Amino acid sequence: MDFKVGESLTFESIRVKVVEIKDKSIVFEVLSTGNEEDEGDLMEVPMSYIEANKHKVIR
C-alpha cells in the first residue's frame, strides 16, 4: 500500500494522519478514536500488519 506523509485516513475505526514512513512500519498520529485521551498520540504500526488488514483502511 502506498502512503504519503500528511495523509489522513481511517484504520481500524481510528482516524489517523501519516507522520513518518519507515522501511517496515508507518508512524501515525491519532486524530480521533472517540477517546479524547488518545488524540495526538503516536502509534507505529508494522507494514506487515497493515498489509494483512488493508481491508480496514478507509481513505
Side-chain angles (χ1 to χ4, degrees), residues 1-10 15-21 26-29 31 57-59:
M1 296 190 77
D2 292 330
F3 293 95
K4 295 178 183 163
V5 172
E7 174 183 15
S8 293
L9 52 100
T10 302
R15 191 76 184 148
V16 297
K17 179 172 74 172
V18 178
V19 175
E20 184 178 357
I21 301 169
I26 304 270
V27 179
F28 295 110
E29 177 184 358
L31 301 178
V57 174
I58 302 169
R59 291 193 151 126

Side-chain angles (χ1 to χ4, degrees), residues 25-45:
S25 64
I26 304 270
V27 179
F28 295 110
E29 177 184 358
V30 176
L31 301 178
S32 176
T33 64
N35 184 355
E36 289 183 23
E37 294 176 10
D38 295 334
E39 293 176 12
D41 288 351
L42 297 179
M43 64 180 193
E44 186 168 347
V45 181

Side-chain angles (χ1 to χ4, degrees), residues 41-53:
D41 288 351
L42 297 179
M43 64 180 193
E44 186 168 347
V45 181
M47 193 64 83
S48 59
Y49 185 82
I50 294 170
E51 285 293 330
N53 293 283

